[in-house]
Amino acid sequence: MAVRQIQFPIVYKQNQNSDSSGYGKYYPYAWKPDTLTLRGLIERVAMDQSVYSRDIVEGVIQRLTKVMVELLQAGQPVKWDGLGTFTPTVESVKGGYSEAQIKAGASVRDVIAGVHIRFIPENEKGEEITSRKFKDLVTFVVEGIALRVEVGQTATGKKKYATNIQSLEDFRKDGSSAASGGGSQSQGGGQSQGGQSQGGDGGDGGGGGDGGDGLTND
């Protein structure tokens, strides 16, 4: 039986921040396809040589999702072996409470700005999926060069942009990062096959994420 090779899509983006020492250089970005929905995850699990029917997979995943949310609502960290730990934390408002306010019965809800779910990847021996360790498990494939192209204007006159992925073959032929046709376009890194979808409003700046010596994924 053939082994399915899982590939991690990468695109190169040019640093367009003239104040950066890496100005003009190209850096790898994780190419973000459309987010997989719960229904898509269910289909993926059910088709992966599973002995369980789609209905059973759907029931288990939906129940797992419900229980996970309930546990996090209760402030309970949840460790998913082989993946990582989900931990709820609270963000307080600036200034906090004085001793007098607490003694006077001030509402704790009013001093909490929000609740965040922090994810810490698995890092136990033999199960590390963090940073450099996870890199060793990944097979990278370069999709092409990400070019930010203007695709029109909004009703208020603001420019609209999309990301044009130019193939490596075309890029090597003309050696240019000029925005041109021939690549697939999508909004904010989402992939589309053979079509175009307009990006959001933007200014005259360069590609998103530029700013340091190297570019990091958002």
Side-chain angles (χ1 to χ4, degrees):
M1 180 183 296
V3 177
R4 177 171 54 89
Q5 185 180 50
I6 300 174
Q7 295 182 324
F8 191 118
I10 294 290
V11 296
Y12 284 108
K13 280 186 181 182
Q14 187 180 40
N15 184 338
Q16 297 180 357
N17 182 357
S18 58
D19 294 328
S20 168
S21 61
Y23 176 64
K25 297 290 186 64
Y26 289 83
Y27 296 90
Y29 263 58
W31 178 240
K32 306 177 182 70
D34 294 335
T35 301
L36 189 67
T37 63
L38 180 61
R39 182 170 296 278
L41 178 62
I42 291 169
E43 295 289 352
R44 178 68 179 81
V45 174
M47 68 178 285
D48 194 22
Q49 302 176 359
S50 175
V51 297
Y52 302 105
S53 68
R54 185 192 179 284
D55 289 341
I56 292 177
V57 171
E58 181 174 6
V60 170
I61 290 180
Q62 288 182 343
R63 180 58 182 166
L64 175 62
T65 301
K66 182 176 184 297
V67 171
M68 282 277 290
V69 172
E70 290 175 350
L71 290 170
L72 294 171
Q73 284 177 320
Q76 173 68 55
V78 178
K79 180 180 179 182
W80 193 322
D81 290 344
L83 182 62
T85 302
F86 298 85
T87 304
T89 63
V90 296
E91 174 190 355
S92 62
V93 299
K94 187 177 180 180
Y97 276 161
S98 66
E99 180 180 339
Q101 286 175 305
I102 294 176
K103 289 181 176 179
S107 171
V108 67
R109 176 171 288 275
D110 293 338
V111 79
I112 294 177
V115 176
H116 304 282
I117 307 301
R118 187 162 55 105
F119 174 71
I120 302 176
E122 180 66 75
N123 59 8
E124 291 186 0
K125 186 176 180 180
E127 296 182 334
E128 294 189 356
I129 61 170
T130 57
S131 189
R132 301 180 189 278
K133 288 289 185 180
F134 194 61
K135 175 185 174 181
D136 294 337
L137 304 177
V138 172
T139 298
F140 298 104
V141 57
V142 178
E143 297 288 335
I145 309 298
L147 307 174
R148 191 167 184 252
V149 295
E150 184 179 341
V151 293
Q153 291 185 334
T154 66
T156 59
K158 291 184 178 180
K159 294 179 179 180
K160 284 185 177 180
Y161 293 92
T163 299
N164 185 318
I165 302 301
Q166 184 181 34
S167 71
L168 274 179
E169 181 180 0
D170 289 343
F171 182 77
R172 286 165 176 161
K173 282 180 181 178
D174 60 24
S176 170
S177 60
S180 60
S184 63
Q185 290 189 359
S186 65
Q187 177 180 357
Q191 224 166 347
S192 61
Q193 300 297 326
Q196 296 183 357
S197 61
Q198 294 182 342
D201 298 349
D204 296 326
D210 301 346
D213 292 346
L215 304 184
T216 56
N217 296 321
D218 298 330

